[in-house]
Amino acid sequence: MWEKDIDINAVREIRSKTLVYFGAGAIAKMDDIAKDLKARGISKVLAVTGHGSYKKTGAWDYVTKAFDAHGIAYTLYDGVTPNPNTHQVNAAAKLGLEFGAQAVIAIGGGSAIDAGKSTAILLKYPGKTAEELYEFQFTPTEAAPIVAVNLTHGTGSEANRFAVVTIEEKDFKPAIAYDCIYPLYSIDDPKLMAGLSEKQTRYVSIDAVNHVVEASTTTVTSPYAIDLAISVVDLVAKYLPEALKDLNAVEPRYFLAYAALIAGIAFDNGMLHYTHALEHPLSGVNPNLTHGLGLAMLLPAVIKNIYGVKGQTLAAVLKPVAPGLTGDPAEADKAAQLVEKWLFSVGADHKLEDEGFKAEDVDKMVELAFNTPSLGGLLAIAPTKADKEAVRAIYAASLKPCHK
């Protein structure tokens, strides 16, 4: 196991378009980041976070100490919720503009980082709203510099160009992807993630698995995305059970954080398709639905749909959680059942009916999948024909377990 040769306390630089400081203790790099921001002429920063984890983890102490040491003033918006909405982004942008913020630091999981990225765009477009941004009424080419302090191991948003925010009034949960929202710097420190709840630990890791199952099987995938996918599923299969056994252990968090990071890079390259396109309507309608759970409920039916054309890739990617697959299209049902059994084994044992969705809700979900801005782009690169009949069949098959 190559992981045994890794010193998890050695902070490494992982470079994509974002410089990620990765490793136990990486939060101490905030001083270097603050120094560089000051050198760039940035003296005022808007912090965008959720309600409490930025303080509970200790991240805020490092951030404020670094800013104070380098003469950077800051103001705080801490109203981000899971599945953030446009009202929160507008409020954060208003605060930042009034303060004269020149950069954004987002502290939290994917929700805080996505909200922070969106806010960074609006700081450069003060006449625009988050609704206009997420309904694609303008195309941003610039954003205020972004720093991300990532507190979960799931979204990969700390190293890619994506953000997702809900337009509550329309049940829309669109995604944007712009080069201007790659963070300038990010921090992935597993010490800050130790202590995540069992539920968060489970579902953020399942999010990472879904990222690579999709990224490795789109019509625009690459060997790079597939290779990353193989590593991600292997690491999550190994370390998610360990993290669930001891929520305070740092080593499992390290490898889960690495898996989530490279999963984010994988779908930055290979993109996404069915599972995310179909989950967004679920949590768009019910913002209290955990994103990773929504994905988990859909994944087996998606695998069944695409296995006939992507069996060889899926057999390789899913090997740690669905052993024995050969890629034969006739294995589609078996592959779906094996993946669902694995999901249930790590506690993701709900299906759509368990979360209150009924057969009569399927048509509404189908319409949202095709009408929500941006989701059509994901469906267009699915490996099978993603028409309404196919989408309806996936939702219907996800109402109940397939392996029982």
Side-chain angles (χ1 to χ4, degrees), residues 163-177:
V164 176
V165 168
T166 297
I167 304 173
E168 287 189 328
E169 292 75 10
K170 298 185 177 182
D171 292 333
F172 285 171
K173 188 179 175 183
I176 59 172

Side-chain angles (χ1 to χ4, degrees), residues 210-218 220-222 225-226 229 263 266-273:
N210 276 272
H211 286 155
V212 296
V213 170
E214 293 170 77
S216 64
T217 55
T218 63
V220 297
T221 194
S222 67
I226 294 169
F267 84 79
D268 206 23
N269 287 269
M271 304 294 286
L272 301 169
H273 56 76

Side-chain angles (χ1 to χ4, degrees), residues 14-101:
I14 296 178
R15 296 175 182 265
S16 56
K17 286 195 173 183
T18 298
L19 173 52
V20 180
Y21 290 115
F22 184 92
I27 188 62
K29 288 291 185 178
M30 265 310 307
D31 189 74
D32 291 345
I33 293 170
K35 181 179 180 181
D36 183 62
L37 293 178
K38 189 69 172 184
R40 293 169 183 263
I42 294 170
S43 58
K44 291 186 174 183
V45 174
L46 169 67
V48 177
T49 78
H51 297 312
S53 62
Y54 71 104
K55 284 187 176 179
K56 291 176 184 176
T57 59
W60 186 238
D61 291 337
Y62 281 90
V63 169
T64 55
K65 181 180 179 182
F67 284 165
D68 289 343
H70 294 280
I72 296 175
Y74 49 89
T75 190
L76 174 68
Y77 178 81
D78 61 355
V80 179
T81 61
N83 295 313
N85 62 58
T86 53
H87 301 298
Q88 294 164 10
V89 173
N90 287 331
K94 181 176 184 291
L95 177 64
L97 288 167
E98 290 173 349
F99 182 66

Side-chain angles (χ1 to χ4, degrees), residues 281-282 285 357 361-370 391 395:
L282 298 177
V285 168
F357 293 95
D361 299 322
V362 167
D363 284 344
K364 178 179 181 179
M365 296 302 109
V366 172
E367 292 306 312
L368 283 170
F370 284 90
V391 169
Y395 277 129

Side-chain angles (χ1 to χ4, degrees), residues 198-217:
E198 180 180 332
K199 177 181 175 180
Q200 288 175 304
T201 299
R202 175 184 303 116
Y203 291 123
V204 295
S205 298
I206 289 172
D207 189 9
V209 169
N210 276 272
H211 286 155
V212 296
V213 170
E214 293 170 77
S216 64
T217 55

